[in-house]
Amino acid sequence: MGSLIDIDIQSATGTNRAYNTTSSVDLLLDDSNNAETALLACPILVANVGEQPATPVLLGAAGLSVEPTVPNSAGNGPKPDQPRATTIIPSVQLEHTETVTQPGPLSLPSLDPISAMREAARIPYTSVRGNQRTQVNFIISHTKDMASGVVEAVHKELAQVEDSYKLELRQTGQGSYLQLTAPVKNIPELIGAAQDIADELISDEPLAVSGIFQEPPTQIDPNSQVILIITQSGEARPRLQSGLGADTITELPENFRQYETKLSNRVYRGLKKAGRLPLSLTLRVNLGYCMLQSYPQGKEIYDYHDFYSMIKNPRASAWLKTSIGNEEIVRRMMDFVRNDVRSPFLPTTNQVTSPAHVLPDYAFEAHSRLAKFNVSITDKSHQGRGDVFYQLSNMTACRVDSNFPDLDILNLSVGKSLDWKLEGFNEERDAKTFPNITRYLGKAKIELKNLDRPHDLDVYPRVRLPTNSIVASNLKNVAVKTVYRFKWKATSYVVQISVNHRWETIASMSAQNMPTIDLGVSVFGEDWDSEDDAAGIVWGDELQYLLEGGDDIMATKGIDRVANFLQTIRDIRNVLEPFF
């Protein structure tokens, strides 16, 4: 499958439209038997090597072709024989004159035509020409039904990007095509977005397909089994049990390289898709326990191959339990993180030199049927002069249905004690969204004593709230969180560890009943918190403002950044999982 881009600059004087008096799309889609001749009538947007604006030109002889995609260094990308929507962009050099000269011999499109368009976009435009509106026709070359379905899906998704662009779905006797009108300077980005969406739809593995990624164990033997630990609620936590005394190694149904490639590709595509949409997303990787919800009942022991096949069944479902551990695990893990000389965790600022000197923040968490609420516990006593008073402030709410589906990626590691999940979700920071909750939390009375020993588990804010309230009866699973943040080694990634004192109800907390203690562990980077209508918009074409690269930071490809980041997540997991 290929996609053709017909670009026509709309001039205020109309002179530029003299190149083509017949609709290029009509030529391409009507009953013409010579597609090559039709292509000759399409003005193609090209740019001079200097600072001249992009100019439409007539093409000489050129043939139609679909470029194969070259797999990247991680082995990703469509297979050589897999159809792919490809933009055909002949490269034409123009002389520095005010009139259009006849083009020289055409060169073939680059192996990555989208990159070629983006390179063209980097050439400086004058402010007048850069804002001049341009018309682009996006056409899928395939069977009528297939092409129409893909074009309609591209139109639906691009319509969410920017309402100042004109996106018009048009019909002909041969099928649908998409007409895009936008400023010249935005055309390469818009074409790239359309191309990426089409590629995802054509791909063998659609992005929207949900599933659980299974990280393969280092090795298994013929006697290895997966045991399901069933909870009272009927959910199950799978754990691998190696065979005793086995001398042979059994081949895995999927090796690590295959798993790594699929996971990297899925995360990369999810981030790129989020980057096309004006979303307000917060990104987090949470560590925890993978809990199976839908699975065959009555069977608790599986051969590894049978378990792998069971999880691959589309009807299998799971979630990540992020409240993990107990008081003993909390003590041992925090002692290692803060005090062990082997600890890879560092302070997030230069104000302290050791993780042992990192002081915690405090927060309050509560759940309703529709949302989870997080509220900071802040000092309102003017930096501690005299008595110290605290209040609940800066509430954020995360609705239960707020996850961005293409960044909702669960990773199961049966050979490890911890699993993890990447989530992109919307946080509502406006107090007006839940006015009753905001007013209720404003009535909190908070006391914090023994600040001279802040790392002891019995030192945390005591929060009291009114119990004779409808709001109180609707808030469950409440927790006071002692929040530590550390840098992972010399990277910019932050590991947040929350020591949680948890109660089932507001009444139990306010009565100062004995809490349960658990941990929450999450990983995030700079610019990972939500901003108004800005998700991947500020992440960069190669995710360079979201994920760290290699030695040549700005030159690292996006897929390689994803692979490096996923390895960092595995490294963090591997350091912490022995405590569980």
Side-chain angles (χ1 to χ4, degrees):
M1 179 184 297
S3 62
L4 304 178
I5 306 299
D6 170 18
I7 304 176
D8 189 10
I9 294 183
Q10 297 177 341
S11 171
T13 61
T15 56
N16 285 341
R17 301 193 61 83
Y19 292 112
N20 185 12
T21 57
T22 305
S23 168
S24 303
V25 175
D26 292 340
L27 288 172
L28 285 168
L29 294 180
D30 283 351
D31 296 328
S32 171
N33 294 322
N34 191 339
E36 294 188 10
T37 302
L39 183 62
L40 301 183
C42 294
I44 303 297
L45 187 68
V46 296
N48 289 341
V49 296
E51 296 190 3
Q52 297 297 320
T55 309
V57 298
L58 287 173
L59 299 181
L64 289 173
S65 65
V66 177
E67 289 284 348
T69 300
V70 178
N72 55 43
S73 59
N76 302 306
K79 303 176 183 65
D81 58 346
Q82 178 179 326
R84 181 178 186 272
T86 302
T87 308
I88 300 176
I89 310 169
S91 175
V92 183
Q93 298 271 330
L94 298 184
E95 298 292 335
H96 288 264
T97 61
E98 295 184 359
T99 60
V100 177
T101 63
Q102 291 297 320
L106 296 176
S107 62
L108 290 175
S110 65
L111 290 178
D112 187 350
I114 297 303
S115 293
M117 288 294 289
R118 286 174 178 156
E119 286 299 327
R122 295 187 179 97
I123 298 175
Y125 296 97
T126 65
S127 59
V128 175
R129 290 298 186 97
N131 293 320
Q132 189 175 359
R133 298 184 72 81
T134 304
Q135 190 176 92
V136 180
N137 297 322
F138 187 79
I139 307 163
I140 298 292
S141 58
H142 204 275
T143 60
K144 178 179 178 180
D145 291 341
M146 176 67 172
S148 295
V150 171
V151 168
E152 289 171 11
V154 170
H155 173 260
K156 182 178 180 180
E157 187 164 323
L158 284 183
Q160 304 175 65
V161 176
E162 176 61 60
D163 55 11
S164 65
Y165 300 156
K166 182 180 179 182
L167 310 173
E168 191 172 352
L169 192 63
R170 298 201 168 194
Q171 303 284 341
T172 73
Q174 294 296 314
S176 304
Y177 71 93
L178 183 61
Q179 188 173 90
L180 318 172
T181 305
V184 171
K185 61 184 180 183
N186 299 123
I187 285 296
E189 179 182 358
L190 199 57
I191 292 174
Q195 188 78 54
D196 288 345
I197 298 167
D199 284 345
E200 289 167 6
L201 295 168
I202 298 164
S203 169
D204 288 340
E205 298 181 11
L207 188 58
V209 173
S210 61
I212 304 168
F213 284 89
Q214 300 184 66
E215 182 178 346
T218 305
Q219 65 181 39
I220 58 172
D221 57 60
N223 298 324
S224 294
Q225 296 176 324
V226 178
I227 311 297
L228 300 188
I229 303 173
I230 311 296
T231 65
Q232 292 182 349
S233 64
E235 297 173 330
R237 183 185 176 196
R239 300 297 300 272
L240 179 67
Q241 185 178 79
S242 298
L244 299 177
D247 296 327
T248 59
I249 297 175
T250 301
E251 184 178 356
L252 293 165
E254 181 178 66
N255 63 41
F256 185 82
R257 180 60 184 272
Q258 292 169 326
Y259 147 83
E260 182 183 39
T261 299
K262 290 180 181 178
L263 178 61
S264 296
N265 193 47
R266 171 63 191 279
V267 172
Y268 175 72
R269 292 162 60 200
L271 291 172
K272 291 292 286 184
K273 182 171 183 177
R276 294 194 299 266
L277 303 177
L279 301 171
S280 179
L281 283 182
T282 293
L283 295 180
R284 287 293 184 272
V285 174
N286 293 307
L287 274 59
Y289 303 149
C290 178
M291 307 298 296
L292 302 183
Q293 292 174 298
S294 300
Y295 60 95
Q297 301 295 309
K299 186 175 182 179
E300 298 180 12
I301 301 176
Y302 286 82
D303 170 80
Y304 180 80
H305 287 74
D306 293 341
F307 175 80
Y308 177 87
S309 299
M310 184 268 286
I311 295 296
K312 295 287 285 185
N313 189 312
R315 298 182 64 181
S317 65
W319 67 288
L320 188 76
K321 178 179 173 61
T322 56
S323 302
I324 57 177
N326 53 41
E327 183 174 346
E328 178 58 28
I329 290 176
V330 170
R331 291 184 188 278
R332 291 191 295 110
M333 196 183 91
M334 290 307 300
D335 182 60
F336 168 79
V337 169
R338 296 182 57 250
N339 302 315
D340 199 297
V341 294
R342 299 167 298 171
S343 172
F345 299 92
L346 301 173
T348 57
T349 69
N350 295 327
Q351 295 179 352
V352 294
T353 58
S354 167
H357 300 144
V358 172
L359 294 176
D361 294 322
Y362 300 100
F364 174 77
E365 176 185 287
H367 298 251
S368 73
R369 184 173 57 86
L370 298 177
K372 179 177 75 172
F373 303 95
N374 277 289
V375 193
S376 298
I377 298 177
T378 57
D379 179 0
K380 66 173 183 177
S381 56
H382 305 290
Q383 300 179 356
R385 291 193 296 269
D387 293 336
V388 180
F389 299 98
Y390 291 87
Q391 65 179 357
L392 298 178
S393 61
N394 303 322
M395 185 184 79
T396 63
C398 181
R399 297 179 186 269
V400 294
D401 59 351
S402 66
N403 278 21
F404 184 58
D406 300 301
L407 287 176
D408 198 54
I409 302 172
L410 176 59
N411 186 86
L412 167 63
S413 309
V414 293
K416 302 288 185 178
S417 299
L418 288 176
D419 310 297
W420 59 265
K421 184 178 183 181
L422 171 65
E423 294 180 293
F425 52 91
N426 176 257
E427 284 187 321
E428 299 177 36
R429 300 175 182 271
D430 189 350
K432 296 179 181 179
T433 306
F434 295 93
N436 292 339
I437 301 291
T438 302
R439 285 194 298 269
Y440 174 73
L441 295 179
K443 301 175 183 178
K445 295 181 179 180
I446 305 171
E447 183 180 41
L448 177 57
K449 296 181 178 180
N450 302 314
L451 284 175
D452 56 323
R453 48 185 185 91
H455 307 298
D456 290 2
L457 288 185
D458 63 341
V459 178
Y460 61 92
R462 266 59 174 185
V463 180
R464 292 183 178 87
L465 283 160
T467 58
N468 56 345
S469 164
I470 295 178
V471 174
S473 64
N474 289 331
L475 294 178
K476 309 293 183 182
N477 188 18
V478 297
V480 174
K481 305 165 66 174
T482 303
V483 182
Y484 293 88
R485 297 179 184 88
F486 303 95
K487 278 176 54 178
W488 173 252
K489 297 183 177 179
T491 71
S492 62
Y493 299 121
V494 175
V495 180
Q496 178 173 294
I497 302 175
S498 300
V499 179
N500 307 317
H501 293 77
R502 193 175 301 276
W503 298 264
E504 286 296 324
T505 64
I506 292 285
S508 180
M509 178 190 68
S510 296
Q512 298 191 38
N513 293 338
M514 186 67 68
T516 60
I517 298 178
D518 59 56
L519 275 170
V521 182
S522 61
V523 183
F524 57 93
E526 297 176 355
D527 300 320
W528 278 36
D529 286 339
S530 61
E531 299 179 11
D532 292 340
D533 294 338
I537 297 171
V538 295
W539 295 348
D541 288 344
E542 298 296 343
L543 307 177
Q544 65 267 30
Y545 306 124
L546 183 74
L547 302 176
E548 293 190 355
D551 294 335
D552 190 352
I553 295 177
M554 298 307 293
T556 305
K557 295 295 184 182
I559 187 67
D560 298 319
R561 292 175 184 275
V562 168
N564 292 338
F565 172 70
L566 293 177
Q567 183 56 53
T568 298
I569 296 300
R570 287 189 288 269
D571 292 342
I572 296 171
R573 186 272 317 274
N574 291 343
V575 167
L576 297 180
E577 66 103 12
F579 295 100
F580 297 87

